[in-house]
Amino acid sequence: MISESSEARRATQVDARPVDARAVDYSRVFTQAIDRLHAEGRYRVFIDILRNKGMFPNARCFAGHNGPKPITVWCSNDYLAMGQHPKVIAAMEEALHDVGAGSGGTRNIGGNTHYHVDLEAELADLHGKEAALLFTSGYVSNEATLATLAKVLPGCIIYSDELNHASMIAGIRNAGCEKRVFRHNDLAHLEELLAADDAGAPKLIAFESVYSMEGDVAPVAAICDLADKYNALTYLDEVHAVGMYGARGGGISERDEVADRLTIIEGTLGKAFGVMGGYIAADRTIVDVIRSYAPGFIFTTSLSPVLVAGVLASVRHLKSSSVERDGQQAAAATLKAMLSDAGLPVMTGETHIVPVMVGDPVKAKKISDILLAEYGVYVQPINYPTVPRGTERLRFTPGPAHSEAMMRELTDALVEIWGRLDLRQAA
């Protein structure tokens, strides 16, 4: 058995060895922690930008400039530019003037704002489930739901894909239950683990549909087959797929017509839907259990009605419009072809995500810096612990508003930088 992102877990943990408090130089300890990140080439720098309303992917960068500099954004998770859509903005403005800015607290204390009720009904319908439940983020929905499920099911064993998101790993860890990690999308290994455990033990298979750093897709139907065979529940993270796939944007599970076979579908409202938040969709009883037992839901101030109104408009629009999805898929295919034809090491995949392999954290950051400073192109380097060491990359997310001219300029810039830095080209 392999360990579940053990390197990634260590990267976010601190040294817990006991020290003599009387001799501790706290400032030195904190400084050394940051210095280690710099030395390993994985210190994260957040870019200072403002997007231009209605003109995405155009934005303004303030970092290192005397005033804003025009840039083109290539790494946003607002895949369909719905955060800029007139319907979404109008809905948020209307809600702001109707009910004000905040929610007033948790849904138990501040009240169950009607926008939340409407959005949960829309999300349940999107996935063909009886109910849905909103959270403040996709991270919280994963962590809170997975941790709670296993605690409600005594003796539960969770089977987790090795490339699952950090939020899923956190939820499984906080559940305190037995876990098994199966090799990425490896059905034989998953079945081997399922077969080895007590047939009477509660089981839950947790996996994603689209893996955001590789751009590949899980064999959802085949995993459901194994779940049926071994009487396991299924938990599918669709955060990089909702809004993007299926006739109404229900994700890979809708596209592959298997949503009805999944116990719980989890999604985000901050990527293709363009605003903020997370959710789960399942049968009414499971949703009620999470609503009633999950601390991450119970004790968190609910999403602002303004945000929920914007998501509601976005979900409703994408249920009936495929224009944005079609434009995004076409843009991704075009960019992949351009990068490949130019000899750049683009990673193959069937999804909207376009990763270009670099394999070195310092060089990945250098490429990103040159693109921003010299070409006005913004793309963040993806380094450890988000991806394993030695697989550092640039992750491009072309959208329906990225023109072919923008893609050509990007490709030409990358070719020039690759030659300047003497980087490895595609095999």
Side-chain angles (χ1 to χ4, degrees):
M1 187 187 304
I2 58 177
S3 63
E4 181 175 21
S5 302
S6 57
E7 261 200 313
R9 288 202 302 273
R10 287 197 297 272
T12 57
Q13 295 172 347
V14 296
D15 192 338
R17 289 175 295 182
V19 297
D20 182 350
R22 293 167 299 181
V24 173
D25 181 343
Y26 293 105
S27 178
R28 179 169 171 267
V29 172
F30 296 142
T31 299
Q32 287 177 336
I34 295 299
D35 287 345
R36 285 196 297 273
L37 296 179
H38 281 291
E40 295 172 12
R42 59 186 186 91
Y43 179 78
R44 296 170 188 250
V45 178
F46 299 156
I47 188 172
D48 183 0
I49 70 169
L50 289 174
R51 300 201 293 176
N52 300 330
K53 182 172 79 80
M55 299 179 65
F56 186 78
N58 296 313
R60 293 155 282 167
C61 176
F62 292 83
H65 307 293
N66 182 20
K69 172 186 175 180
I71 61 170
T72 303
V73 177
W74 279 99
C75 56
S76 174
N77 284 341
D78 186 358
Y79 295 130
L80 304 179
M82 289 303 296
Q84 305 288 313
H85 198 282
K87 288 183 181 179
V88 174
I89 293 170
M92 295 179 75
E93 289 177 340
E94 181 181 348
L96 178 64
H97 293 290
D98 182 28
V99 302
S103 67
T106 66
R107 290 170 71 176
N108 178 54
I109 293 173
N112 212 25
T113 304
H114 192 65
Y115 287 112
H116 291 72
V117 175
D118 279 350
L119 179 55
E120 286 173 344
E122 288 286 352
L123 293 169
D125 172 75
L126 178 65
H127 296 293
K129 300 297 184 185
E130 291 180 346
L133 188 66
L134 290 175
F135 294 83
T136 51
S137 74
Y139 189 105
V140 175
S141 57
N142 270 335
E143 191 282 326
T145 303
L146 286 167
T148 301
L149 278 173
K151 289 175 181 176
V152 172
L153 291 167
C156 181
I157 304 169
I158 296 182
Y159 303 80
S160 174
D161 189 288
E162 67 173 316
L163 294 187
N164 277 343
H165 189 271
S167 58
M168 300 176 76
I169 295 173
I172 295 167
R173 184 189 305 125
N174 292 340
C177 66
E178 288 288 319
K179 67 175 183 291
R180 313 283 185 254
V181 183
F182 60 93
R183 289 185 292 271
H184 178 52
N185 282 348
D186 189 329
L187 295 171
H189 189 215
L190 172 58
E191 180 163 21
E192 177 186 326
L193 296 174
L194 287 164
D197 283 320
D198 180 358
K203 299 176 178 65
L204 172 67
I205 305 171
F207 61 110
E208 302 181 32
S209 58
V210 173
Y211 287 84
S212 63
M213 294 303 145
E214 282 69 31
D216 59 349
V217 175
V220 181
I223 291 176
C224 288
D225 290 341
L226 288 177
D228 292 344
K229 181 176 180 179
Y230 291 94
N231 192 29
L233 304 177
T234 49
Y235 183 99
L236 178 65
D237 177 317
E238 288 256 44
V239 297
H240 290 279
V242 290
M244 302 292 295
Y245 300 92
R248 302 194 307 158
I252 297 296
S253 57
E254 183 192 18
R255 186 198 71 177
D256 293 354
E257 299 181 342
V258 292
D260 61 308
R261 301 184 63 191
L262 293 154
T263 312
I264 299 173
I265 296 174
E266 184 266 349
T268 183
L269 307 170
K271 292 183 171 62
F273 292 127
V275 189
M276 180 181 177
Y279 67 91
I280 59 167
D283 74 40
R284 191 168 287 108
T285 303
I286 290 177
V287 168
D288 199 17
V289 165
I290 304 305
R291 182 192 72 86
S292 302
Y293 282 91
F297 173 81
I298 296 169
F299 300 107
T300 300
T301 297
S302 63
L303 285 168
S304 161
V306 175
L307 297 172
V308 178
V311 176
L312 188 57
S314 182
V315 171
R316 285 172 172 168
H317 176 79
L318 290 174
K319 278 184 174 181
S320 61
S321 173
S322 293
V323 172
E324 294 80 8
R325 283 188 285 276
D326 293 344
Q328 198 284 329
Q329 290 292 330
T334 300
L335 182 60
K336 287 177 185 177
M338 282 188 182
L339 296 175
S340 179
D341 290 346
L344 294 163
V346 60
M347 299 170 65
T348 58
E350 60 179 285
T351 69
H352 58 283
I353 295 164
V354 185
V356 175
M357 182 61 67
V358 179
D360 179 273
V362 175
K363 290 179 179 177
K365 179 66 167 59
K366 181 67 172 176
I367 298 167
S368 174
D369 289 345
I370 294 173
L371 283 170
L372 184 62
E374 299 182 21
Y375 291 95
V377 166
Y378 171 47
V379 60
Q380 274 285 38
I382 306 297
N383 293 335
Y384 171 82
T386 306
V387 295
R389 296 181 195 274
T391 67
E392 294 81 7
R393 66 200 67 176
L394 303 174
R395 176 183 175 272
F396 297 94
T397 54
H402 286 94
S403 67
E404 285 199 29
M406 290 176 177
M407 296 182 203
R408 177 54 59 197
E409 290 171 2
L410 171 64
T411 301
D412 291 345
L414 287 170
V415 168
E416 187 279 319
I417 296 169
W418 240 253
R420 187 195 314 185
L421 301 181
D422 195 25
L423 294 169
R424 176 176 54 84
Q425 293 190 320

